[in-house]
Amino acid sequence: MLSVLRRRAYRNLFTAQVVALLGTGLLTVALGLLAFDLAGGRAGAVLGTALTIKMIAYVVVAPVMAALVDRLPRKAVLVGADVVRAAIALSLPFIDQVWQIYLLVFVLQSASATFTPAFQALIPVVLPEEKDYTQALSLSRLAYDLESLVSPLLAAALLTVMSFHNLFVGTMLGFLVSAAMVLGTRLPVIPPAGQQGSLLHRTTLGSRIFLREPTLRGLLALNLVVAAATALVLVNTVVYARDLFGGTNTDVAIALAFYGAGSMLVAFIAPRVLERTPDRTFMLIGATVLTAGLPTAAFLALTQESRVPLTGNSWAILLGLWTVLGIGTSMISTPSSRLLRRIATDRTRNHLFTAQFSLSHACFMITYPVAGWVGAAAGQTAAALTLGGLALAGTVVGVVVWPSAAAGDGTTSDGSPDTPATADRR
């Protein structure tokens, strides 16, 4: 997996990604503390609204910005987005009103919605060989999982010697280092996109390709499966650990760590497994794992809510289940960009990666409220069963709309080679 780091361009870009992720992790901690400082007991409502604004930016702003910057040099887009994010991070310690959090979060996440798809679309150009690209995807998955573990620990260590306001400075430095790494990297020349129609046409191009291609329709359905499982873990782990099992904040962190460990396991083995296993098979196995895992979580919640635990080791069962959920989500997420890479051309690549970024986050706009609101109103059993139903629907739709004959083998939906000329005719 590490062999791709010998490529200087990719090594610099991967370093930029890791540093920016650490900065974002510090921002998450600092933003929560800032919300409590301004709103006290209403901090949860403030953060919930901020996260909703984040998703709106990802879903709505990403395709518009992709269309607006499509003719600009990739390096300028990435560096510009990082500079905007750094400026917003630096300004956050000086605000004193809740509405200012909402405004700055929207601008910052809009910049992230510009940076991330453009960055993801650049990697297959830097690493044109599929084997190298698969290794890069696994490294990226590993970076995300490690960040979720390292950033809170780093923030906790820094908070012992400084105010939480200084964490925003760390976030700013992360974005600036990311910009410097991109600026100092010699990137491949990407042919200009040329005239592609109106702004509306360019904004919706990626989504229209998603709806036209069987492989991408299957990916869209599986995005819902990932969102269902991820929402249960991210939203309700604290409820499972603290309320149902009577644990501590440390137990919450341990459960999330087991989820991350499952995901990292797949990141390590995926490059080798995908050399022998079709993407469709690998991803549908992951979807099946999640579709089975969510009802299991419901049953586990039911036993705890009824105070009739399965065994004396129910907590160990939860940790094992969270590991399985991490495995399932990574089995879908890690290879997903390979599907985009095969179908994309120079003309459509950025639009396709942006559409995946936007549409996958749109699924979270469904599953996050289900996990939170159903869990609060009807209990964790109902929430897990509802999310399991969504996962089952996504899996069934994925199997139906993504036939094995269109399993992402480098051909178009009609079986002809997927060349730039073919894509342009479509």
Side-chain angles (χ1 to χ4, degrees):
M1 190 193 304
L2 299 178
S3 62
V4 290
L5 294 177
R6 299 192 188 103
R7 308 283 187 90
R8 185 173 184 274
Y10 175 71
R11 184 172 66 247
N12 288 352
L13 291 175
F14 180 70
T15 303
Q17 179 190 24
V18 170
V19 173
L21 281 174
L22 286 174
T24 303
L26 294 179
L27 175 68
T28 301
V29 176
L31 198 59
L33 296 173
L34 177 63
F36 186 80
D37 195 44
L38 294 178
R42 294 184 57 253
V46 172
L47 283 176
T49 304
L51 288 173
T52 302
I53 291 172
K54 173 182 176 178
M55 290 300 160
I56 292 172
Y58 282 179
V59 173
V60 177
V61 175
V64 175
M65 290 304 300
L68 291 174
V69 305
D70 192 45
R71 297 183 179 90
L72 300 178
R74 295 299 95 185
K75 183 178 290 190
V77 172
L78 296 174
V79 172
D82 266 338
V83 170
V84 171
R85 295 196 292 183
I88 296 300
L90 186 60
S91 65
L92 279 167
F94 301 103
I95 69 175
D96 56 7
Q97 299 290 329
V98 169
W99 67 266
Q100 294 170 345
I101 291 181
Y102 299 153
L103 176 62
L104 292 181
V105 164
F106 179 77
V107 177
L108 188 147
Q109 300 302 341
S110 295
S112 293
T114 304
F115 178 94
T116 303
F119 179 90
Q120 293 173 339
L122 184 61
I123 301 303
V125 181
V126 174
L127 298 173
E129 296 295 326
E130 183 164 288
K131 181 178 179 180
D132 292 338
Y133 183 57
T134 302
Q135 293 173 344
L137 293 177
S138 293
L139 271 178
S140 180
R141 181 76 255 169
L142 190 62
Y144 276 103
D145 292 331
L146 286 175
E147 181 276 325
S148 67
L149 298 176
V150 172
S151 290
L153 296 177
L154 178 61
L158 291 174
L159 287 171
T160 63
V161 296
M162 63 178 63
S163 163
F164 77 84
H165 290 93
N166 292 322
L167 296 183
F168 292 114
V169 177
T171 299
M172 178 201 69
L173 292 176
F175 290 141
L176 289 181
V177 170
S178 172
M181 295 299 296
V182 173
L183 196 60
T185 302
R186 179 176 296 178
L187 300 178
V189 176
I190 302 176
Q195 186 63 35
Q196 294 188 38
S198 66
L199 176 62
L200 178 62
H201 174 84
R202 287 179 281 129
T203 299
T204 60
L205 178 59
S207 298
R208 286 185 282 112
I209 296 175
F210 256 79
L211 295 177
R212 186 171 63 218
E213 292 287 344
T215 299
L216 299 186
R217 289 202 300 268
L219 174 58
L220 182 58
L222 297 186
N223 284 337
L224 180 61
V225 183
V226 170
T230 304
L232 177 76
V233 172
L234 296 187
V235 175
N236 289 336
T237 292
V238 64
V239 181
Y240 274 79
R242 293 297 307 273
D243 186 27
L244 298 185
F245 285 88
T248 65
N249 288 337
T250 301
D251 292 322
V252 176
I254 290 172
L256 291 173
F258 271 78
Y259 175 77
S263 181
M264 285 189 284
L265 175 63
V266 174
F268 278 115
I269 68 172
R272 183 159 298 186
V273 173
L274 289 171
E275 289 180 2
R276 304 185 301 271
T277 306
D279 292 328
R280 179 181 184 271
T281 301
F282 190 75
M283 295 171 73
L284 287 177
I285 291 173
T288 303
V289 167
L290 296 180
T291 301
L294 287 168
T296 305
F299 181 66
L300 190 59
L302 178 62
T303 63
Q304 295 301 123
E305 290 171 339
S306 62
R307 305 305 175 189
V308 185
L310 291 172
T311 68
N313 295 319
S314 294
W315 175 246
I317 294 173
L318 176 79
L319 295 181
L321 177 59
W322 257 228
T323 304
V324 170
L325 293 178
I327 289 172
T329 54
S330 192
M331 288 182 72
I332 298 174
S333 298
T334 300
S336 60
S337 293
R338 286 160 50 102
L339 311 181
L340 305 177
R341 173 187 174 276
R342 292 193 189 109
I343 291 175
T345 66
D346 289 335
R347 186 177 72 90
T348 63
R349 183 178 297 108
N350 195 44
H351 295 287
L352 277 177
F353 277 86
T354 301
Q356 165 64 0
F357 181 81
S358 177
L359 294 172
S360 62
H361 283 90
C363 294
F364 285 104
M365 294 183 70
I366 300 171
T367 60
Y368 277 159
V370 168
W373 297 346
V374 175
Q380 294 306 309
T381 302
L385 284 176
T386 304
L387 291 169
L390 291 174
L392 176 61
T395 301
V396 171
V397 171
V399 171
V400 172
V401 304
W402 186 6
S404 56
D409 57 358
T411 61
T412 67
S413 56
D414 63 1
S416 58
D418 190 29
T419 63
T422 304
D424 287 341
R425 286 199 300 273
R426 295 201 306 272

